[in-house]
Amino acid sequence: MQAGSKLLNALSAAALSSTVLAASVITLELGTMPQAFAAVVTRIEVRGNQRVDAETVRNVTQIRSGQNVSDADVDAAVTRLFATGLFSDVRARQAGGALIIEVDENQIVGEVIFQGNNKIKNEQLSAAVQTATREPYNATTAQADVDAIRAAYTRIGRSDAAVSVRTVPAEGNRVNVVFDIQEGDRTRVESINFVGNNAFGDSRLKEVITLRESGLFSFLQRNDIYDEDRLRADEEALRRFYFNRGYADFRIVSSVAELDETKNQYFITITVDEGERYVYGNINIDSTVPGIDGETLRGDLKTKPGDVYSAEQVEDSLLDLTNAVANRGYAFAQVTPRGDRDFANNTISIDYVIDQGPRAYVERIEVRGNTKTRDYVIRREFDVSEGDAFNQVLVQRAKKRLESLRFFKTVNVSTAPGSQPDRVVVIVQVDEQSTGEFSVGGGYTTGGENAGPVAEVSITERNFLGRGQFVKVSAGFGEDTRSYNLSFTEPYFLGRRLAAGFDIYRTENSSSTAYDITRTGGSLRLAAPITEDLTAQVAYNYKEETFGDKDGRLTNPFTGQFYGFDATGMPIASTCANPTASGFAPGLAAPLYTQSPIINQAICDSPYTTSSVSYALTYNTLDNQQDPRDGVFGQVGQEVAGLGGDAQFLRTTARGSWFSLLSEEYDVIGQVSGGGGNVTSLGDDLRVFDNFFKGQDIVRGFKYQGLGPRQNGVAIGGTNYVNATAEATFPLPLVSRDFGFRGAAFADAGSLWGVDNVGDQLGIQGDDFALRASAGVGLIWASPFGPLRVNYAVPLAKEDYDRTQEFSFGFSSRF
């Protein structure tokens, strides 16, 4: 029993000893572990640095002498050193109390060289890459620059451009970075196909988007260049197109651009789901704001029951309602449209709900992305400013205004919370585009004073010096004509929405066999918007006209000799020497200058000055100013001459055009236009050149100055005119729309009459009203040089003394 107890005691003692020993070992290991992974650094040694100061390296590591440093601290220090971009390699190790850091410095870039580039200039490529002179060379950055250069070439239609980068050693531990570029051929858009479209054909949808298939003149217009951003923008254009034509469920299933590398061509396929077409159902205005009766606001709505649904009309109604409510003193009221689809009847009922919105104010407007355009040019398009009540509808209207300036590729407006719960920061992000244009155009015209071949050279800048100002300088040249023009417009004169500007011009015309005409003048103008669609304009105009050859003299068109005789009957080089009342020179059977005494008298008054004030009202709702398909354009104005100068008259004119899409599927556009005018003398006489001279500009099928009063066969103009036109234009069958051709069928009617000139009235015809009419067809070409048009018109009603011309060719003008 004792032996067993002794054995038990011995085992217990051994176990206790083992436990104490194990605990001691664990304690010893735990005590020495921090010394293995964290040691005190007494100094930091930097090795391998040549340009970078050692103290700079120490500061970047964020490790100080006397600090306990772990492996994680050392790794973090190495990461920070790499992040500076100054080193190609960094190594760190601890030796005793020293932290040794070895670095291999990146070489400094001496020059950045682009070789093989012709289509993109060095300055443009330099802006696209990050590698820069006097900066450390980084291989990763250089490779990213290669991708950036490729992207730049893709944007100009050269997707197969090959780019590589290499370095060339230079003096002073520097390196020159060379980008070798093989630009390749242009990558063209071979075809654009639509899948799933039933309401509109491919040709109609191709006009909606900006991308074009490669054609004969693609090298001039550059619209067959594939760019992913352009394709995304075209997707949005298609959505807007369908949404504004009743297809509220429209969606783009996919848009794929496939590159055939063997042919270097893109094939684009856009798959759509049109959905059903909707019309408006019930339209209501519900107001929860005391003092606002929704029924009194119905006049501000653009949406009407039974009309085809249009997202744009809903937006316009929303904007007009918001303005109407704000004008009544409810700055924080919100208008929200709520749509209710009836799938069975394909109708959308809309309730415009007016609620009292949260009281939020604009804290500030931040403008980003503008490098050329001044901030104030962007800010002034907002009807709200810092401190005003925040209104999302007015912000979106400012976005539309900015887009219509054509200064920017894209405009994005977003909001962010301000410093207080009731403060909002409006962020405007823009991507600028080129606003300058140098153009050279030419053509041939059969009408007007510039008949014959014509050419024009012009330089236009829509955003002059980033101030939003418009400047255009142009010079025109014809067979017998010269013209020079300078125009300037400040769209926000004195910080207000007043467009102020001036025009200066000079024209020289020697097409007449009897005399040359030189006109020199200019105008000062001011325009103010009354509403979004109605504008008022006032201008002061000054013009001086001279008649004669280059020396100021007039010649006999029959003999080529200068007119005028002295007292003995000998001819002298005098312009208007002793003309008789009938306009004939003494001793000659030939007329003085023309066969019209009235014209002769006006020529003898040369030089002749006109000083006038004009004013006009313009109403414009056209959907597109260059190629309208829908909307109304109207203008009425008067010009009062007599503020100094020789002329004294009151001229009143009016014109208007209405456009409508007659067939959406076939893209047939209808136009009805009309106009008229009257000029009345405010003095003793009305000079003949102050009359209206009309011809093919109001009734096609007649010559320039081909209709209206004449004296002895010479056009003397009239004091009154009226005209009307009905026209339909359409795409040409079997001709790709990418060529820009359209056909036209038209009918014109008009008249020019009235003679109120002092002088010999013998031989005058056409003093009374007589209707002229014609019908014909035309061919319109949206050429790279500008719109051109050829017409064939047959006069249906005319007078015997009129001058007709069935074919006419010249620059197209829609209104």
Side-chain angles (χ1 to χ4, degrees):
M1 186 69 178
Q2 291 179 349
S5 296
K6 289 181 179 180
L7 178 61
L8 179 61
N9 291 335
L11 292 173
S12 299
L16 180 61
S17 299
S18 300
T19 301
V20 172
L21 179 60
S24 299
V25 172
I26 292 173
T27 302
L28 179 60
E29 289 179 352
L30 291 175
T32 59
M33 187 178 297
Q35 294 182 1
F37 293 92
V40 176
V41 172
T42 59
R43 69 183 186 280
I44 301 175
E45 293 184 12
V46 180
R47 302 175 181 176
N49 58 310
Q50 298 179 12
R51 295 183 310 275
V52 183
D53 186 70
E55 191 60 31
T56 300
V57 176
R58 296 188 185 99
N59 291 334
V60 172
T61 65
Q62 299 183 10
I63 296 175
R64 301 292 179 264
S65 298
Q67 175 182 338
N68 286 332
V69 178
S70 65
D71 290 344
D73 294 330
V74 174
D75 291 340
V78 170
T79 301
R80 294 189 191 100
L81 289 170
F82 269 118
T84 64
L86 298 172
F87 310 105
S88 59
D89 193 16
V90 178
R91 300 172 298 280
R93 57 187 175 87
Q94 291 178 265
L99 175 60
I100 301 173
I101 300 176
E102 298 180 82
V103 297
D104 293 335
E105 292 182 347
N106 277 325
Q107 294 174 301
I108 295 298
V109 176
E111 291 183 76
V112 179
I113 302 171
F114 302 98
Q115 292 186 345
N117 57 307
N118 293 310
K119 303 301 180 181
I120 303 181
K121 297 179 180 179
N122 288 350
E123 294 79 5
Q124 296 172 293
L125 292 176
S126 296
V129 302
Q130 299 181 50
T131 302
T133 58
R134 295 186 295 277
E135 295 290 336
Y137 171 75
N138 187 290
T140 302
T141 302
Q143 194 56 48
D145 290 340
V146 169
D147 296 335
I149 294 174
R150 286 200 192 103
Y153 274 95
T154 298
R155 285 192 292 271
I156 66 169
R158 294 181 179 271
S159 300
D160 64 340
V163 184
S164 61
V165 62
R166 56 189 171 89
T167 58
V168 179
E171 295 181 355
N173 196 30
R174 293 176 179 267
V175 62
N176 294 333
V177 181
V178 181
F179 292 96
D180 293 306
I181 302 170
Q182 294 180 356
E183 295 181 320
D185 296 327
R186 291 181 64 230
T187 307
R188 304 173 183 274
V189 176
E190 178 62 21
S191 66
I192 302 176
N193 297 308
F194 294 88
V195 177
N197 54 310
N198 297 309
F200 307 102
D202 284 15
S203 58
R204 178 68 181 99
L205 296 182
K206 287 178 182 179
E207 287 199 351
V208 176
I209 63 178
T210 60
L211 280 171
R212 291 286 185 269
E213 295 172 341
S214 296
L216 183 62
F217 297 101
S218 297
F219 73 98
L220 291 174
Q221 297 175 316
R222 300 286 181 175
N223 53 10
D224 64 335
I225 298 173
Y226 171 74
D227 181 75
E228 186 175 357
D229 292 337
R230 289 184 66 185
L231 183 57
R232 300 285 87 80
D234 284 342
E235 290 179 5
E236 183 60 27
L238 287 169
R239 293 188 188 96
R240 299 291 299 179
F241 175 80
Y242 272 93
F243 290 164
N244 291 335
R245 287 157 177 80
Y247 296 88
D249 296 329
F250 172 82
R251 67 188 183 95
I252 293 179
V253 178
S254 65
S255 57
V256 180
E258 295 180 308
L259 176 63
D260 186 338
E261 295 185 358
T262 60
K263 298 181 179 179
N264 197 27
Q265 296 174 340
Y266 274 105
F267 296 83
I268 298 176
T269 302
I270 301 176
T271 304
V272 302
D273 180 5
E274 294 179 326
E276 299 295 330
R277 195 183 196 197
Y278 292 87
V279 298
Y280 293 115
N282 297 323
I283 306 294
N284 298 308
I285 303 177
D286 299 326
S287 173
T288 63
V289 179
I292 298 180
D293 182 6
E295 291 302 315
T296 64
L297 298 173
R298 280 196 171 272
D300 296 298
L301 295 180
K302 300 291 191 297
T303 52
K304 298 179 181 180
D307 287 353
V308 175
Y309 170 82
S310 169
E312 185 175 13
Q313 290 179 348
V314 175
E315 292 173 359
D316 291 341
S317 299
L318 185 63
L319 179 61
D320 290 345
L321 286 174
T322 300
N323 288 333
V325 171
N327 291 336
R328 297 187 183 189
Y330 299 90
F332 295 100
Q334 290 184 339
V335 184
T336 305
R338 296 177 180 172
D340 182 17
R341 280 184 175 85
D342 184 341
F343 295 99
N345 297 314
N346 291 339
T347 62
I348 299 179
S349 298
I350 299 178
D351 288 337
Y352 296 95
V353 181
I354 304 175
D355 295 318
Q356 187 64 52
R359 293 182 175 269
Y361 300 88
V362 178
E363 181 171 300
R364 67 181 183 275
I365 299 175
E366 291 186 4
V367 180
R368 303 173 181 175
N370 55 315
T371 57
K372 173 185 176 182
T373 307
R374 313 288 179 97
D375 276 14
Y376 70 82
V377 173
I378 298 174
R379 293 174 182 274
R380 68 192 183 189
E381 299 299 332
F382 285 81
D383 290 330
V384 294
S385 56
E386 282 86 349
D388 290 348
F390 174 76
N391 189 306
Q392 182 65 41
V393 175
L394 297 182
V395 169
Q396 290 304 311
R397 179 165 71 175
K399 179 178 183 291
K400 285 188 175 181
R401 287 175 177 170
L402 289 171
E403 290 173 337
S404 66
L405 292 176
R406 296 187 298 145
F407 295 171
F408 313 106
K409 294 179 182 177
T410 58
V411 178
N412 293 308
V413 181
S414 58
T415 59
S419 58
Q420 300 293 331
D422 62 344
R423 297 292 187 269
V424 176
V425 178
V426 178
I427 302 173
V428 185
Q429 183 74 44
V430 299
D431 182 11
E432 293 184 312
Q433 66 180 359
S434 174
T435 56
E437 179 180 294
F438 173 77
S439 66
V440 178
Y444 189 91
T445 179
T446 57
E449 293 183 347
N450 298 326
V454 292
E456 183 184 73
V457 179
S458 66
I459 299 175
T460 305
E461 174 54 66
R462 301 192 307 273
N463 189 13
F464 184 62
L465 299 178
R467 300 174 182 272
Q469 299 165 335
F470 175 89
V471 178
K472 181 176 181 179
V473 180
S474 64
F477 308 93
E479 185 175 3
D480 299 304
T481 61
R482 299 288 186 273
S483 64
Y484 311 93
N485 295 273
L486 170 63
S487 295
F488 173 84
T489 301
E490 166 55 67
Y492 276 78
F493 184 59
L494 299 177
R496 300 181 179 273
R497 194 165 288 145
L498 300 172
F502 64 84
D503 304 288
I504 301 174
Y505 65 87
R506 179 180 176 87
T507 63
E508 302 170 357
N509 189 308
S510 59
S511 59
S512 172
T513 57
Y515 53 86
D516 298 344
I517 306 175
T518 300
R519 295 186 176 96
T520 305
S523 63
L524 298 173
R525 45 187 165 73
L526 183 69
I530 299 175
T531 67
E532 287 292 317
D533 302 323
L534 185 63
T535 302
Q537 178 173 312
V538 62
Y540 170 75
N541 315 284
Y542 183 85
K543 175 177 64 176
E544 180 182 270
E545 297 171 288
T546 59
F547 300 84
D549 63 7
K550 296 179 180 179
D551 299 320
R553 301 171 298 180
L554 297 166
T555 58
N556 183 333
F558 301 97
T559 66
Q561 301 297 317
F562 295 116
Y563 277 118
F565 298 85
D566 62 15
T568 64
M570 297 299 294
I572 58 175
S574 176
T575 301
C576 289
N578 304 318
T580 65
S582 62
F584 287 82
L588 282 183
L592 185 60
Y593 305 120
T594 72
Q595 297 186 48
S596 168
I598 293 178
I599 295 288
N600 295 341
Q601 182 62 50
I603 291 174
C604 288
D605 291 336
S606 175
Y608 192 83
T609 59
T610 302
S611 176
S612 67
V613 171
S614 60
Y615 43 89
L617 284 175
T618 302
Y619 181 76
N620 189 348
T621 63
L622 298 180
D623 59 345
N624 186 298
Q625 303 305 310
Q626 285 74 38
D627 188 20
R629 281 181 164 79
D630 185 74
V632 175
F633 176 89
Q635 188 177 73
V636 58
Q638 286 188 315
E639 181 183 6
V640 181
L643 306 177
D646 301 316
Q648 292 182 322
F649 61 78
L650 171 64
R651 188 193 308 273
T652 304
T653 57
R655 62 192 179 108
S657 296
W658 172 79
F659 293 86
S660 180
L661 199 57
L662 303 181
S663 172
E664 189 79 65
E665 180 178 0
Y666 298 104
D667 193 25
V668 179
I669 303 171
Q671 173 191 353
V672 176
S673 301
N678 169 265
V679 59
T680 302
S681 173
L682 298 180
D684 296 333
D685 58 2
L686 183 67
R687 191 182 68 126
V688 65
F689 290 121
D690 293 331
N691 283 338
F692 297 107
F693 286 82
K694 298 295 180 181
Q696 61 182 244
D697 54 331
I698 63 171
V699 182
R700 283 162 285 195
F702 291 80
K703 285 186 176 182
Y704 169 68
Q705 299 185 0
L707 58 83
R710 311 186 88 79
Q711 185 179 38
N712 298 325
V714 179
I716 58 174
T719 57
N720 308 282
Y721 81 91
V722 293
N723 72 286
T725 293
E727 180 173 285
T729 65
F730 44 86
L732 295 179
L734 306 179
V735 178
S736 173
R737 297 194 187 191
D738 292 332
F739 288 110
F741 288 102
R742 291 181 67 87
F746 58 83
D748 297 336
S751 182
L752 174 69
W753 75 98
V755 176
D756 185 22
N757 305 104
V758 173
D760 194 333
Q761 303 294 310
L762 296 177
I764 292 181
Q765 297 171 294
D767 190 17
D768 298 327
F769 176 88
L771 183 68
R772 280 79 162 180
S774 69
V777 294
L779 179 64
I780 306 169
W781 180 32
S783 78
F785 314 104
L788 302 177
R789 177 166 181 155
V790 58
N791 293 313
Y792 175 75
V794 178
L796 303 177
K798 65 183 182 68
E799 298 298 313
D800 294 338
Y801 49 83
D802 289 337
R803 303 291 190 266
T804 61
Q805 178 178 289
E806 295 181 346
F807 279 100
S808 61
F809 180 85
F811 292 96
S812 172
S813 177
R814 299 298 301 274
F815 60 93

